[in-house]
Amino acid sequence: MLNDKRISKRQEIVSAAISLFSRTHDIRRVSLEAIAREARVSPATIYNRFGNREALVSEVTKELVRTNLERNRTLIRSGLPFPQKLTGIISGKLDMAGSANNEIIKKLITQDKTIAPFIDEIYQQEIRPLWQEMVADGKKQGYVDPALDDEALLVYLDVMQAGFKARPELFQNFEENMALIKQLTRLMYYGFLKKEIDLFGKEESGGNR
C-alpha cells in the first residue's frame, strides 16, 4: 500500500509538471515551487522523489512518450481503416512535437544520457513490433506493397529513425519547419517518384541482362 501511494504521488507530480509545462514556451520559468503547488505537495517531496529538476523534466519526457505510444497502440489495434490509422499516428506525432517545449524536444531527439537508453528500449521493444503490426494490417487492407518483406521495412524504419536524429534542429524549430517536416513525412511513406520505374533492369522478372 505504501509503495502504491508513493507511485501515485510521483505520478501526480509528473502530471502537474506536464500541465504547467503545456502552458508556457519556456519551461525553465516553471519553478519546482509552482509544480509543488499544482501537485499539492511540498517542494521537499519533489526533491525526495526526483532528486532535482532535470530528473523531473526527464520523467515528464518519458511520460509524454509513453502516452503517445499507448495512443498509437490503441489506434493500430482498432478496427479503423488503414488510412485513418496512419493519419491518426502522424497527427499525434505532429501534435506532440508542436505542443512540447524545446527542452523536451531536445531530450527526445538528442543523445541525452537520461533519455537515450529509455528511447532506445522503447523503440526496440515497443515501436518496431507495432510498426510490424501496422504494416501487416496495411498489406491485408491493400495499402502496403505485399512484395516488401518485414526485414526491409524494419530496416527502413531504422534508417528513418537515425535520419531524424541526425537533424534535431528540424524539431527544435518545429513551427518554422512545419512545411518541410510534412514533405519529409510524405517522402517517408510515398517516396519521391510519381511514376513507377524499372529500377533493376527487369531483375525481378527473370535474371540479369
Side-chain angles (χ1 to χ4, degrees):
M1 184 67 69
L2 182 60
N3 285 339
D4 289 344
K5 288 183 178 180
R6 288 179 63 85
I7 292 171
S8 175
K9 188 60 65 178
R10 184 182 179 91
Q11 186 59 48
E12 287 175 12
I13 294 168
V14 170
S15 297
I18 290 173
S19 177
L20 290 176
F21 289 170
S22 68
R23 303 175 205 169
T24 179
H25 291 294
D26 187 356
I27 64 176
R28 290 170 297 183
R29 295 181 180 178
V30 179
S31 66
L32 287 181
E33 288 74 18
I35 295 170
R37 286 195 299 272
E38 183 81 7
R40 297 181 181 178
V41 300
S42 68
T45 299
I46 296 180
Y47 283 108
N48 289 338
R49 295 290 191 276
F50 298 95
N52 55 43
R53 185 182 181 284
E54 179 73 11
L56 176 56
V57 172
S58 293
E59 193 57 43
V60 166
T61 305
K62 292 176 183 179
E63 183 65 20
L64 291 173
V65 171
R66 293 188 193 101
T67 299
N68 189 63
L69 179 63
E70 286 308 311
R71 175 187 179 278
N72 289 343
R73 192 194 314 278
T74 299
L75 193 59
I76 289 170
R77 293 177 178 174
S78 72
L80 290 172
F82 184 80
Q84 287 182 243
K85 293 182 181 182
L86 187 58
T87 55
I89 289 171
I90 292 171
S91 67
K93 287 183 177 180
L94 293 179
D95 287 346
M96 186 177 76
S99 61
N101 182 272
N102 279 352
E103 186 175 346
I104 290 174
I105 292 295
K106 185 176 180 181
K107 282 184 175 294
L108 282 172
I109 59 182
T110 63
Q111 293 301 314
D112 183 293
K113 64 180 181 180
T114 63
I115 293 296
F118 169 78
I119 295 296
D120 288 343
E121 182 178 2
I122 286 285
Y123 179 72
Q124 293 296 329
Q125 300 298 322
E126 304 283 350
I127 295 175
R128 289 175 103 252
L130 279 176
W131 171 258
Q132 285 184 288
E133 288 185 35
M134 184 70 174
V135 165
D137 188 40
K139 288 182 178 181
K140 184 178 179 180
Q141 293 191 36
Y143 288 95
V144 176
D145 186 351
L148 295 172
D149 60 41
D150 286 352
E151 182 180 2
L153 289 163
L154 284 172
V155 170
Y156 181 62
L157 181 64
D158 292 344
V159 169
M160 294 304 301
Q161 177 85 350
F164 280 120
K165 277 186 179 181
R167 297 294 301 271
E169 70 276 8
L170 291 174
F171 293 93
Q172 288 175 277
N173 302 298
F174 184 80
E175 292 183 0
E176 296 175 18
N177 292 316
M178 176 62 80
L180 177 57
I181 290 169
K182 286 183 176 179
Q183 287 191 47
L184 291 170
T185 302
R186 184 177 180 85
L187 280 170
M188 175 179 177
Y189 290 102
Y190 287 105
F192 62 88
L193 296 176
K194 290 190 68 174
K195 293 185 178 181
E196 188 169 340
I197 297 173
D198 183 5
L199 299 175
F200 304 108
K202 299 183 180 179
E203 178 182 14
E204 295 181 1
S205 62
N208 302 321
R209 296 184 180 178

